[in-house]
Amino acid sequence: MSSSTPIVDIHTHIYPPSYIELLKSRDEIPYIRQFPPATEHRLVILPAEDTPSTSRGRPIGPEYYDIEQKIAFMNTHSINASIISLANPWLDWLPPTTALQTAHSINTEINHLCSLHPKRLYFFGTLPLSAPVSSILASITHLTTLPHCRGIILGTTGLGTGLDDPSLLPIFTSLAAAQLPIFLHPHYGLPTSVFGPRGTDYGHVLPLALGFPMETTIAVTRMILSSVFDSVPELQVILAHSGGTLPFLAGRIESCILHDAHLQKEGKLTQGRKTIWDILKSNIWLDAVVYGEVGVRGAMGVSGTERVMFGTDAPFFPPLDDEEDASEKQGKEGEKEGKKWLSVSLNMDAISSACGAGSEEEKAVLGGNAIRLFGLELPVSA
Amino acid sequence: MSSSTPIVDIHTHIYPPSYIELLKSRDEIPYIRQFPPATEHRLVILPAEDTPSTSRGRPIGPEYYDIEQKIAFMNTHSINASIISLANPWLDWLPPTTALQTAHSINTEINHLCSLHPKRLYFFGTLPLSAPVSSILASITHLTTLPHCRGIILGTTGLGTGLDDPSLLPIFTSLAAAQLPIFLHPHYGLPTSVFGPRGTDYGHVLPLALGFPMETTIAVTRMILSSVFDSVPELQVILAHSGGTLPFLAGRIESCILHDAHLQKEGKLTQGRKTIWDILKSNIWLDAVVYGEVGVRGAMGVSGTERVMFGTDAPFFPPLDDEEDASEKQGKEGEKEGKKWLSVSLNMDAISSACGAGSEEEKAVLGGNAIRLFGLELPVSA
C-alpha cells in the first residue's frame, strides 16, 4: 500500500470453502459441477444460465473461495480494506430446519477468514431467511458477537414475497437496533420473457446489465411504498450497483406518488410523509459500482457525496483475456502483484471524473465514507 | 405567449375523436366504457388496470380528444408549439386487413387537427404494425405527404417480437431515409408478477414509475445489442421519459458488453464497434420528462445538452385536485387561462435547476433543440 487515499471496497464477494462444498453437493440450481468434456468446475446460479451453451454459468476458480486471492486482488488495486460478503444466492434455498445452523457456521467461517488479515477484511453476514423469524432474530444476535461483522447482505425476496412484507418489520427493527446496515443485492433479475426471443444472443448482457439493477430498484421502491422507513426510521440500507436505477428514477417515482388517486384516497399523501428525497438522504447509501461518470454523479446527486462508497463486485467481471488493461500502463509503483481489472478501473475512473481527481469528495467515496459508516480501523500503510 | 424563450412540448398525447370511437366499440382492452353506477367514461389500456377497483383505468374527458383543450393547456404553460402523438396503445391491436386504412385515416385526421392551429401543432404519425411490411412502408410514404408530420411514435413490440427483430430493418431504413425520427414510447411495462403480491396496494405507482421506463430501457438496449445503429447509422430515436433508465445504466451496459465471453467468442467486440456512448451521441435523443434535476443532468450527461428536449406527457398526470399548484403563485402574466399542472412544473423546474435559469442550455432544452431537429416554424409571439 503506498496510496495516501485509503480505499475501501464495500462490494466484493466470496464463497467460503464450506459453501462451495454445499453447492457441489446439489443437482439443481444453485449448483457447481463439471460439464464434460470440459474439466473445469462451473457455477450455475440462475435458471436462465442453466442451458447447454458456451455460457452455461461461469468457471469457478480460487478467486471465488480463496481468501489469499482476495488479498492479492486488493493489493493489485491498492485496496486497503474490503467488506466481503457471501455472493448470491446466499442461504435463501436452505431447508428451514438446517438454515439457522448453516448461517451460524458460514458467518463464523467468514469472520474467521477476516481474522486472518486483521483490519484489512470485514464482512456482511447472511441471514437464514427460510427459517422461522425467531431463528432469523437469533442469527442477528449471533452476528453482533462476531467482531468483523459490519452489516448483512440481503436479497430482494425477503421471506418469500419481497421486502414490503410486514413480517420483516421485526427483522428490520432488530438490524437497526444492532446498527447493522443492510447491503441490498439482486439475484433473480427479471423474468427472461422481457428480454425477448433473441435475449440469449447477447450472452449475459441483458440479465446482468438490466435485470439486476431493475430488480434492486423494484425491491427498494416497494420498501419505500410500504412505509418501511417510516416504521423503522433508523434502518440503513446500502444499495448495490448505485441503487440499480433508483437515482435516475427517483423523480418519476415521487411524481407518480404525488399523482396517484388511489394513494390519495387511502390517505397516504399526507404532509408529514417521508418523501423519496428524504429517504435517499437519511436511510439509503449507494455503492459506486455503476461504471460511468453520469451514474456516479447521479448517485451523489440524490444521496449526497457522503453516502456513496467505492466497490468492485469482484470476483465477477474479471478481464476477458490476458491482455493488459490500459490503466495498468499508468499504474503507480507498488501495484505489481497482478494486472488491474478493467471493471475496477472503469469504476475508479468514473469516481475520479465525477468528483475531481485528488478531491476531498473522491477520498470520501473511495474510502472515507465507508470508514465512517462502518467504524473501520485500517492497517498502517506499508 | 409572452415568453422570450420558445417552449416546445415534444411529448404530449391525443386520442383523435375517431380513435375514441374505435375504443368505445371494443369489449376487451384497450377499451373505453362506463362502469355503473359511475357515469363517467373510463379508459382501460393495461391488463393490470382491468380489475374492479377504485383505480380501474382512468377517467377520460375532453382533455384526451379535444384539440382546443390541448391549445388551452399549452397557453396555460406558455408552450409555443407541441408535437402531438397518438397515446398508447396506438394501432398494434388492429386486424391486419384494416390496419393500413385505419393508420391512413388517423394520421390524416391528426394532420388536419394540426392545420387548425398553424405553427403551433405538429405530430408524430402512427404505423400499422399488424399489417404486412409493404403496407407499413406505404404508410411511411403517406406520412411524408402530410405537412405537419415530424416523425413517428413507436411502441416496444415492433412486429410482435421486439425492436431487435431483423424484419424491422427495412422500416428503420425507410424512416431514416425519410428523415422521420422514431419517438420510442412504452406501453406494456413489466409482468405484474415482478411487483409482488402487494403491488396494487400502491395504486399505479409501480407499473408507471418503474414498469414504463424499464420497458423502454430494455427495448432500446435490445436495438443496440442487435446492431440496429450499425445497420442504419442515420436512424434517429427519441426516447420517452429521458430514456427510461438508459442514461444511468449506460455505463453498466457497456461494461457488461466488454466483459461478455459469449459476445467475444462471437466476434462482436471488435475495435470499430459503435459503443453505447457513440450511439447516445449520434442516434439517440431524450425527452426531459424525468421529474428531477438528477435525471435531466444524467440525460444531458450522456447525450449532450443539444439532444434533450422538453415534454409534458399530457394529458396524463393531471393535478389530483383543484388546489392551485405552488408554482402558479409565482406565475408570470399572460398565463391565466388555467391552473398550471404540478407534473409540468416539476419538469420545468428540473430543467431550470440542471441548466441554470435563463441559460442558453435551458433555452436549448425547452425549445431550441426541438426547433432544430424538427425544422419547426413557430408562431410570432403574441
Side-chain angles (χ1 to χ4, degrees):
Chain A
M1 297 293 115
S2 65
S3 170
S4 62
T5 300
I7 300 180
V8 179
D9 181 358
I10 71 135
H11 186 162
T12 183
H13 300 295
I14 194 157
Y15 294 110
S18 66
Y19 192 84
I20 294 282
E21 293 311 311
L22 259 179
L23 292 176
K24 281 185 179 167
S25 72
R26 291 170 54 80
D27 56 10
E28 57 188 296
I29 59 162
Y31 64 71
I32 291 172
R33 83 161 68 141
Q34 291 158 302
F35 297 100
T39 55
E40 67 178 4
H41 281 87
R42 293 183 76 94
L43 165 68
V44 185
I45 50 180
L46 294 171
E49 292 179 332
D50 197 20
T51 52
S53 88
T54 56
S55 59
R56 186 168 190 165
R58 68 215 71 218
I60 186 155
E63 70 277 15
Y64 281 83
Y65 50 78
D66 180 352
I67 199 68
E68 298 309 322
Q69 296 253 339
K70 182 68 71 187
I71 296 292
F73 170 86
M74 290 166 63
N75 291 343
T76 296
H77 297 95
S78 303
I79 294 167
N80 300 67
S82 290
I83 306 182
I84 58 177
S85 49
L86 187 60
N88 46 312
W90 312 291
L91 307 177
D92 309 16
W93 48 276
L94 290 172
T97 47
T98 61
L100 176 60
Q101 183 49 43
T102 305
H104 190 101
S105 156
I106 284 185
N107 287 327
T108 302
E109 182 178 3
I110 297 184
N111 186 67
H112 172 71
L113 294 176
C114 293
S115 73
L116 299 177
H117 296 276
K119 301 185 182 176
R120 293 205 71 188
L121 295 177
Y122 299 87
F123 78 104
F124 293 128
T126 316
L127 298 181
L129 291 175
S130 57
V133 169
S134 59
S135 295
I136 301 172
L137 295 173
S139 194
I140 294 171
T141 302
H142 175 237
L143 286 173
T144 63
T145 70
L146 300 177
H148 305 291
C149 180
R150 288 298 183 274
I152 64 134
I153 188 165
L154 187 69
T156 63
T157 49
L159 304 176
T161 65
L163 303 183
D164 54 353
D165 178 355
S167 305
L168 282 166
L169 285 176
I171 296 163
F172 292 150
T173 301
S174 171
L175 289 167
Q179 294 187 290
L180 291 174
I182 293 170
F183 180 37
L184 178 57
H185 194 289
H187 167 65
Y188 295 95
L190 294 177
T192 308
S193 62
V194 305
F195 300 126
R198 289 164 290 274
T200 53
D201 291 358
Y202 319 125
H204 294 165
V205 174
L206 289 169
L208 283 180
L210 305 185
F212 261 33
M214 291 174 179
E215 177 190 357
T216 307
T217 309
I218 293 167
V220 68
T221 305
R222 287 169 59 184
M223 289 178 79
I224 292 168
L225 290 170
S226 68
S227 304
V228 164
F229 298 105
D230 296 286
S231 303
V232 192
E234 303 302 322
L235 187 65
Q236 300 296 309
V237 179
I238 304 153
L239 300 178
H241 314 117
S242 294
T245 67
L246 187 67
F248 193 75
L249 290 180
R252 184 173 174 89
I253 297 167
E254 183 67 18
S255 178
C256 281
I257 292 171
L258 290 171
H259 288 92
D260 196 86
H262 177 80
L263 293 182
Q264 186 190 44
K265 204 172 287 184
E266 298 276 311
K268 297 286 175 64
L269 304 183
T270 54
Q271 280 292 335
R273 182 181 67 91
K274 223 170 173 173
T275 69
I276 195 163
W277 307 114
D278 298 330
I279 292 165
L280 278 161
K281 286 196 158 61
S282 60
N283 300 99
I284 301 289
W285 300 70
L286 302 165
D287 74 23
V289 183
V290 68
Y291 308 95
E293 179 185 342
V294 164
V296 176
R297 281 188 196 276
M300 299 193 307
V302 295
S303 286
T305 308
E306 68 278 13
R307 299 179 80 89
V308 178
M309 299 181 285
F310 173 73
T312 64
D313 214 350
F316 300 100
F317 304 111
L320 274 187
D321 51 38
D322 288 338
E323 279 188 53
E324 197 173 14
D325 172 34
S327 67
E328 170 66 3
K329 296 175 188 120
Q330 301 147 21
K332 295 166 237 155
E333 284 183 29
E335 298 175 344
K336 291 176 183 155
E337 295 191 35
K339 286 172 183 166
K340 289 195 177 186
W341 289 20
L342 173 64
S343 57
V344 177
S345 59
L346 284 172
N347 279 312
M348 284 199 174
D349 292 350
I351 293 167
S352 187
S353 301
C355 294
S359 66
E360 287 306 311
E361 289 77 9
E362 185 191 35
K363 287 185 188 178
V365 173
L366 285 177
N369 294 336
I371 291 168
R372 191 180 77 251
L373 172 62
F374 300 114
L376 305 185
E377 278 189 274
L378 260 57
V380 177
S381 292
Chain B
M1 298 293 112
S2 65
S3 169
S4 61
T5 300
I7 300 179
V8 179
D9 181 359
I10 71 134
H11 187 161
T12 183
H13 299 294
I14 194 156
Y15 293 110
S18 66
Y19 191 84
I20 294 281
E21 293 311 311
L22 260 178
L23 292 175
K24 280 185 179 168
S25 73
R26 291 171 53 81
D27 57 9
E28 56 187 297
I29 58 163
Y31 63 71
I32 292 172
R33 79 160 72 140
Q34 291 158 304
F35 297 100
T39 55
E40 67 178 5
H41 282 86
R42 293 183 76 93
L43 165 68
V44 185
I45 50 180
L46 293 171
E49 292 179 332
D50 197 21
T51 52
S53 88
T54 55
S55 59
R56 186 169 190 165
R58 67 216 70 219
I60 188 156
E63 69 277 14
Y64 281 83
Y65 50 79
D66 181 352
I67 199 68
E68 298 309 322
Q69 298 251 340
K70 182 69 72 187
I71 295 291
F73 171 86
M74 290 165 63
N75 291 342
T76 295
H77 296 95
S78 303
I79 293 166
N80 300 66
S82 290
I83 306 183
I84 59 177
S85 50
L86 187 61
N88 48 312
W90 312 291
L91 308 178
D92 309 15
W93 48 277
L94 290 171
T97 48
T98 61
L100 176 60
Q101 182 50 41
T102 304
H104 190 101
S105 155
I106 284 183
N107 287 327
T108 303
E109 181 177 3
I110 297 184
N111 187 66
H112 172 70
L113 293 176
C114 292
S115 73
L116 299 176
H117 296 277
K119 302 183 181 176
R120 293 206 71 187
L121 295 177
Y122 299 88
F123 78 104
F124 292 127
T126 316
L127 299 181
L129 292 174
S130 56
V133 168
S134 58
S135 296
I136 301 172
L137 294 173
S139 194
I140 294 171
T141 302
H142 175 237
L143 287 173
T144 63
T145 70
L146 300 177
H148 305 292
C149 180
R150 288 299 183 274
I152 64 133
I153 187 165
L154 186 70
T156 63
T157 48
L159 304 176
T161 65
L163 302 183
D164 54 354
D165 179 354
S167 306
L168 281 166
L169 286 176
I171 296 164
F172 291 151
T173 301
S174 171
L175 289 167
Q179 293 188 291
L180 291 175
I182 293 170
F183 180 36
L184 177 58
H185 194 289
H187 167 64
Y188 295 94
L190 293 177
T192 308
S193 61
V194 305
F195 300 126
R198 290 164 291 273
T200 53
D201 291 359
Y202 319 126
H204 294 164
V205 173
L206 290 170
L208 283 180
L210 305 186
F212 261 33
M214 291 174 179
E215 178 191 356
T216 306
T217 308
I218 294 168
V220 68
T221 304
R222 287 169 59 184
M223 289 178 78
I224 292 168
L225 290 170
S226 69
S227 305
V228 164
F229 298 106
D230 295 286
S231 303
V232 192
E234 303 301 322
L235 187 66
Q236 300 297 308
V237 179
I238 304 152
L239 300 178
H241 314 119
S242 294
T245 67
L246 186 67
F248 192 76
L249 290 180
R252 184 173 174 88
I253 296 167
E254 183 65 19
S255 177
C256 282
I257 291 171
L258 290 171
H259 288 91
D260 196 86
H262 177 81
L263 292 183
Q264 186 191 44
K265 203 171 288 183
E266 297 277 309
K268 297 286 175 63
L269 303 184
T270 55
Q271 280 291 336
R273 182 181 68 92
K274 223 169 173 173
T275 70
I276 196 163
W277 308 114
D278 298 329
I279 293 166
L280 278 161
K281 286 197 159 60
S282 59
N283 300 100
I284 301 289
W285 300 70
L286 302 164
D287 74 23
V289 183
V290 67
Y291 309 95
E293 179 185 342
V294 164
V296 176
R297 281 187 195 276
M300 298 192 308
V302 294
S303 287
T305 308
E306 68 280 11
R307 298 179 80 89
V308 179
M309 300 180 285
F310 172 73
T312 63
D313 215 351
F316 299 99
F317 303 113
L320 274 186
D321 51 36
D322 288 338
E323 277 189 56
E324 199 173 14
D325 171 35
S327 67
E328 168 69 1
K329 295 176 188 118
Q330 301 148 19
K332 295 167 238 155
E333 283 184 31
E335 299 176 344
K336 290 176 183 157
E337 295 191 35
K339 286 169 183 166
K340 289 195 177 185
W341 288 22
L342 173 64
S343 56
V344 177
S345 59
L346 284 171
N347 279 312
M348 284 198 173
D349 291 350
I351 293 168
S352 187
S353 302
C355 295
S359 66
E360 288 304 311
E361 289 76 11
E362 185 191 34
K363 286 184 187 178
V365 173
L366 285 177
N369 295 337
I371 292 169
R372 190 179 78 252
L373 173 61
F374 300 115
L376 305 185
E377 278 190 273
L378 258 58
V380 178
S381 292

